[in-house]
Amino acid sequence: MKEIIFCEKALEISYKARWLFLTFVLLGLQLVPFPSENWPNIYLLLVISLIYNISTRFLNFPEIYERTRNICYAETVMDTMFLIGIIYLTGGHNSPFWIFFIVIIMFSAIYYSPGKTLLITLGISLLYLLISILSGSHFKEMLSILCLKIPVLFAACGLSIFSNQQIKSQGEELEIEKEKIKYLLRAFHHNVVAIQKKNKVLSEVYNISLKTQGDLSLSEQLADICNTTISFLNLDISGIWLMKKNGSLKLTGGTKNIPPSLPEKIKIGEGIIGRTALKKEPLIINDLLKWDSLQFKDGPSSYIGIPLIVDNEMLGVFACASSYPKEFKEEDYLKFLLLIACRTSLSIKNAYLNEEIKRMTITDELTGLYNYKYFIETLKKELHKAERLSCPFSLLMIDIDNFKDFNEKYGHHMGNQILCALALNLTGSLREEDFLARFGEEEFVIILPSADKEEGIMVSERIRKCISEAVLIENTESITVSIGVSSFPQDGKKFDEILLCADKAMTMAKEKGGNRTIAWNGKNNKISL
């Protein structure tokens, strides 16, 4: 292809050079004497050359090398015959136009191989000798042609071949450099695209990181992560299943269109979610119908699951799926999801740690119940809620009877065990909405939302009897408790009033021998705050 283009350019130059060639011939004809009877033949040659040169301007340049080469042959033959005719008609061996043979040889070196160029030079030399003989040249003139003009032609041939080879060599080097530049440009473009893609991925990871630093709950954060991920990857289903204490996985956050084939709760090892957690490595299934045609007959079609692991601790599974068939390529999907999964795992771990820190600040270290500080905050909130909704609530204050004697008899270690066992017993006796906290050394408090005084007394008696009849720790005597009850709004409209009433009622229960419930009655028992 390179040679074809080179020949085509050479043809273009030859068309222009021929006009210059004809101009010099016409100029030379005015200066060189020759027989007048040769003028008609000279004019005929000039007209033929002009017609040929004009007609070639209307030829289409060939795209096939063979046609190009044939045109080159025609160029060389036409130019040689024209020049031979001019030389013959203008004096043969005395004609100065022989110098134009050098031009033909120069273009031949461009069109043809070095061997063919030598043959053309030899042919031109023989034709020149033949014309010289026909024009009546004597021996000295022939000797001059052989010793001077013919060597000049061959010298021009050698120089043209050498120059042409150098030009072609430089052209080949330029082509090589051009290909190198094209390759570098392609590589540069590929790198730019890769960098842009990585920047987009990092941007999405950064955006997801921002979502995990807000005030949203963990489930809301995980739902945002899923929605952002499927939007970036052009998917439509995503969810995050977190590990629970019982060893199962539960859907905690995700898109709203999660199908039944991806259940909300699942055991480790069951289904594709459980299998991902069991293997602790990414699971990619491009055709779920082949995996389980019965389970996934209603979709989805493709699945990719990433385990969420921090310090070898399995936190859950981050799953994405497509309702339509999709091939999850590692470069486009897995690497991005691994980044997101790593960031999500850290966010989940941080959320757990924050919850643990928060739990530690609001719970009692020994019993695991809420502590005094958090109880006061909760009591204030419950009071505000009761005022806003105009509904009652009751407060129970519980104290272990003769706890000091128990510690002296069995030791403080056993006393701590009794406190823990009592906390567990109380927890099992309450509703989910009830609030239980440790108030002091051997004192506990219970908030009963929406419970009036009568309901508070009923719950207190049930708790008291249950404790008195239970054996909390083997090989120890049973314990009893004294319970004081106060209610909003009968016993006060401020939290400290309600708390003081319950405390006073509990104290009265202990003073009357313990193991009893006393509800505060403001009419019969006046207290000063």
Side-chain angles (χ1 to χ4, degrees), residues 298-311:
D298 296 325
S301 296
S302 303
Y303 165 88
I304 180 169
I306 309 294
L308 302 175
I309 302 173
V310 174
D311 296 332

Side-chain angles (χ1 to χ4, degrees), residues 59-60 80 82 105 122 217 294 304 322 352 374 408 418 445 474 513:
L59 294 176
N60 292 324
T80 302
F82 170 76
I105 291 171
L122 179 61
S217 65
L294 182 62
I304 180 169
S322 173
Y352 286 168
Y374 190 64
E408 291 177 354
I418 279 292
V445 285
E474 295 291 338

Side-chain angles (χ1 to χ4, degrees), residues 1 4-5 8 60-68 71:
M1 189 64 179
I4 295 174
I5 295 173
E8 289 176 355
N60 292 324
F61 288 121
E63 296 180 357
I64 304 176
Y65 178 71
E66 289 297 328
R67 289 186 59 192
T68 306
I71 290 177

Side-chain angles (χ1 to χ4, degrees), residues 448-461:
L448 302 175
S450 303
D452 56 19
K453 182 68 68 67
E454 289 73 17
E455 291 175 320
I457 295 173
M458 289 176 58
V459 173
S460 297
E461 278 298 290

Side-chain angles (χ1 to χ4, degrees), residues 116-261:
K116 289 183 179 180
T117 304
L118 284 172
L119 290 176
I120 290 172
T121 304
L122 179 61
I124 290 174
S125 300
L126 293 175
L127 287 173
Y128 184 43
L129 288 172
L130 179 61
I131 292 301
S132 299
I133 293 172
L134 293 176
S135 62
S137 300
H138 51 75
F139 177 74
K140 289 184 178 180
E141 292 170 338
M142 294 297 295
L143 187 62
S144 173
I145 292 173
L146 290 171
C147 295
L148 180 61
K149 296 180 179 180
I150 298 300
V152 169
L153 294 179
F154 276 95
C157 173
L159 182 61
S160 299
I161 291 173
F162 175 76
S163 300
N164 182 63
Q165 292 298 317
Q166 290 298 312
I167 292 172
K168 286 186 176 180
S169 175
Q170 293 294 325
E172 290 175 355
E173 291 179 2
L174 288 174
E175 287 295 326
I176 293 173
E177 292 300 321
K178 187 188 295 184
E179 290 298 323
K180 288 181 179 180
I181 292 173
K182 288 181 179 179
Y183 173 78
L184 291 175
L185 287 174
R186 287 194 298 269
F188 177 75
H189 176 71
H190 175 77
N191 290 336
V192 168
V193 172
I195 290 172
Q196 290 175 342
K197 192 171 184 180
K198 289 180 179 179
N199 285 340
K200 188 175 181 181
V201 169
L202 291 175
S203 176
E204 290 298 323
V205 174
Y206 175 73
N207 291 334
I208 289 175
S209 298
L210 292 180
K211 293 178 182 296
T212 61
Q213 295 174 4
D215 296 329
L216 299 176
S217 65
L218 180 59
S219 60
E220 291 173 329
Q221 292 180 22
L222 298 182
D224 278 349
I225 291 173
C226 292
N227 288 322
T228 303
T229 300
I230 64 172
S231 175
F232 181 75
L233 296 179
N234 194 25
L235 302 174
D236 56 350
I237 300 171
S238 181
I240 296 177
W241 283 256
L242 297 185
M243 287 285 296
K244 298 302 175 182
K245 293 181 179 180
N246 59 4
S248 64
L249 294 160
K250 182 180 180 181
L251 179 62
T252 308
T255 55
K256 297 180 180 179
N257 60 336
I258 296 178
S261 54

Side-chain angles (χ1 to χ4, degrees), residues 88 104 162 164 172 193 254 273 307 354 380 400-401 405 408 418 436 447:
Y88 178 74
I104 296 175
F162 175 76
N164 182 63
E172 290 175 355
V193 172
I273 304 295
N354 289 334
K380 291 178 179 180
I400 301 176
D401 296 329
D405 296 336
E408 291 177 354
I418 279 292
L436 171 65
I447 301 175

